[in-house]
Amino acid sequence: MANPDRSQAPDLPLTDNGLEAPVPERITPAQPRKPVLRLMPLVLASMFAGGVIGMYFQPPALRAFFETTGLTPGAGTDTPIAVALAKVSTQEEVAVVSEGDIVALGRILPAGDVIRIATPFGASDARIHALKVAVGDTVAQGDTLAILDNRLDLESGIEIAAATVKVREATLMQSRETVRASREEAAANLERAEVTAKQADSELARATSLLDRGVTTRADFDEVVARATEAARDVERNRATLSRYSTLSGSVQADIAVAEANLEAARVDLRRAERELERSIVRAPQGGTVLDINVQVGERPDTDGILNLGDIGQMTVEAEVYQTLIGRVSIGDPVTVTAAALGDVLTGTVQAIGLEIGRQSITSDDPAANTDARVVDVIVMLDPASSDRAKRYTNLETIVRIDTAQPK
């Protein structure tokens, strides 16, 4: 084999035997596959669209896959987006929902709501001296629930007012006794004056006879006349005095009236002090059961009050129905109430529908729930059996289902 022209080729390395080593082949860098890269966005978009369509429509093949594998759509997240908000398992449930049931959040409450017992008016600075009831106790209207520490001061006020009444009574008695004594004295003075006047009249008659016979002098006769006249005036004066005490003239009546007015004022003060004593006593405004106690002995009650009171003999449910649905609710509609803590379903009927639209106060645990919805309060009266089961669950949050499909 002829050797190639070495002058035209670069020097090649020689092997140990003097032969030329084979020339290695030159490797050309691989060119990027541009058509494949251009298809990647399309593939990703197709996968995303397929996933969305599969979750939205859930075709039979996809449902069969989930049934076979036992997987649940969206089960890998706390807020599954592929699960229906309300599950129904039977055609009966589907019919009930389609016929117009209204579902709302509610809370269990005693009939007439829960009453927060506060301190009496004017006792805001007082502290609890003693609690007379415990949680679960049943009380009647007017029963003592607690005693405040202002009781000693108020009792002292009663003692002072009572002592003042006694002083005023004594003053009035003294005034009346003075009038009585004065009347008796005036009567005695009149009697004495009448006796004196009678004697003076007798002497005047004798002196007149002696003067006519010329036995006595004119001067002696004039002296006898003067004594008789003075005695007669004394009788009239004492008679007038007695008359003033007998008929209680203006001055005497004024003395008695002042004493009587002072006594009445003292009695008013006593009654006021006795009423103020009620500021130290917390009484039940109505009968019911003590649901909770918010303070302890020595504490000053705040805006939560001393305790919560409610009549759990009849329980109700307060449901908050959206304003757009309230027109479908009527008095007497049957209601079912459910909650995880209850176990059994409670039943009742709509008793009252609120007249005012307000802001929703009962919210679910879902952070995305609408907490600014406009709702109307609906009061549900539970039947006796359900009321008895619910009396231990005041303020329990429930799900209320109102059947508005009943004939009206």
Side-chain angles (χ1 to χ4, degrees), residues 53-345:
I53 293 173
M55 287 188 296
Y56 185 80
F57 292 101
Q58 292 188 358
L62 182 61
R63 291 198 300 269
F65 170 77
F66 281 120
E67 291 177 359
T68 302
T69 60
L71 299 177
T72 302
T77 176
D78 294 334
T79 57
I81 61 176
V83 179
L85 294 179
K87 295 182 179 180
V88 291
S89 58
T90 65
Q91 293 299 325
E92 179 182 1
E93 293 181 5
V94 174
V96 169
V97 173
S98 63
E99 287 174 2
D101 278 14
I102 293 177
V103 178
L105 293 176
R107 63 167 64 93
I108 297 176
L109 294 172
D113 211 336
V114 176
I115 301 176
R116 292 188 299 179
I117 306 299
T119 56
F121 175 77
S124 58
D125 293 335
R127 292 175 171 81
I128 301 299
H129 176 70
L131 290 170
K132 299 298 184 180
V133 293
V135 174
D137 288 351
T138 301
V139 298
Q141 183 178 5
D143 285 353
T144 300
L145 304 178
I147 302 295
L148 305 181
D149 62 357
N150 59 351
R151 184 176 180 84
L152 293 178
D153 292 339
L154 297 176
E155 287 178 344
S156 298
I158 292 179
E159 293 175 356
I160 294 173
T164 303
V165 168
K166 292 182 178 180
V167 171
R168 301 304 183 190
E169 288 175 344
T171 301
L172 177 59
M173 184 180 300
Q174 183 180 22
S175 298
R176 289 175 175 172
E177 184 63 24
T178 299
V179 171
R180 185 191 63 79
S182 299
R183 184 189 302 112
E184 293 179 353
E185 182 180 0
N189 291 337
L190 176 59
E191 184 178 357
R192 185 171 58 254
E194 288 176 343
V195 171
T196 302
K198 185 176 181 180
Q199 293 176 352
D201 290 340
S202 299
E203 292 180 0
L204 178 59
R206 186 170 58 254
T208 301
S209 175
L210 294 175
L211 181 61
D212 291 341
R213 288 181 294 168
V215 176
T216 185
T217 63
R218 187 70 184 183
D220 293 337
F221 177 75
D222 291 340
E223 185 178 353
V224 173
V225 171
R227 288 198 300 269
T229 303
E230 182 63 26
R233 290 176 179 176
D234 194 29
V235 170
E236 293 299 328
R237 185 168 54 252
N238 284 282
R239 185 175 287 123
T241 301
L242 179 61
S243 176
R244 181 165 63 91
Y245 286 109
S246 299
T247 59
L248 294 180
S249 63
S251 60
V252 175
Q253 288 180 348
D255 294 340
I256 300 297
V258 169
E260 290 177 344
N262 289 334
L263 175 59
E264 183 60 27
R267 288 173 175 170
V268 170
D269 288 340
L270 177 59
R271 290 194 294 270
R272 178 177 55 81
E274 290 173 345
R275 288 194 302 270
E276 288 183 349
L277 183 62
E278 287 296 314
R279 295 182 182 179
S280 67
I281 305 174
V282 181
R283 300 187 184 276
Q286 66 178 38
T289 301
V290 178
L291 304 177
D292 192 15
I293 295 178
N294 304 320
V295 295
Q296 299 299 324
V297 174
E299 294 181 341
R300 179 184 301 166
D302 55 15
T303 56
D304 291 335
I306 298 174
L307 54 84
N308 296 341
L309 185 67
D311 182 11
I312 63 174
Q314 175 60 59
M315 301 298 290
T316 63
V317 176
E318 180 187 65
E320 294 183 344
V321 179
Y322 289 118
Q323 61 179 358
T324 55
L325 303 176
I326 194 61
R328 295 164 54 186
V329 181
S330 302
I331 302 295
D333 284 346
V335 178
T336 56
V337 180
T338 58
L342 293 173
D344 297 333
V345 176

